[in-house]
Amino acid sequence: QVQLVESGGGSVQAGGSLRLSCAASGRTFSRYAMAWFRQAPGKERGFVAAINWSAANTYYADSVKGRFSISRDNAKNTVYLQMNSLKPEDTAAYYCALGGVASRVRADYDYWGQGTQVTVSS
């Protein structure tokens, strides 16, 4: 069973930066995609960013493109999300996910972390 654990969340001022990490443990395949989703109170979980197994391809939601950057270290089974120029509307619980294909669709991911809270104040 694969387990995903997020870390790096916290509270920052608008315009600040945070770097989230997600470490995978247990049985994993050599080739897998990883992604980040987020969910604010009263809203559905939405796509943020995804990266394929080789890191050759990355995908971003329009709302974060140019501000967020996703990367991975396969030797550590870890994916990162560098978040710059944070806005209050970025406030949400952030979840990492693992699946067979890099996609913005939740159903394409087989494993999910428990989430880490990001709060951005004005």
Side-chain angles (χ1 to χ4, degrees), residues 14 38 40 43 63 67 86-92 94 118 120-121:
R38 65 187 181 185
K43 297 185 178 181
S63 59
R67 299 188 297 121
L86 283 162
K87 304 174 180 179
E89 48 263 48
D90 295 319
T91 296
Y94 283 70
V118 171
V120 185
S121 60

Side-chain angles (χ1 to χ4, degrees), residues 50-91:
I51 187 167
N52 78 328
W53 71 272
S54 69
N57 298 312
T58 57
Y59 308 94
Y60 297 93
D62 289 343
S63 59
V64 307
K65 192 174 182 63
R67 299 188 297 121
F68 291 10
S69 179
I70 188 170
S71 61
R72 66 189 296 165
D73 184 340
N74 288 343
K76 297 181 179 180
N77 287 330
T78 299
V79 64
Y80 306 94
L81 185 68
Q82 178 67 46
M83 305 184 293
N84 299 322
S85 301
L86 283 162
K87 304 174 180 179
E89 48 263 48
D90 295 319
T91 296

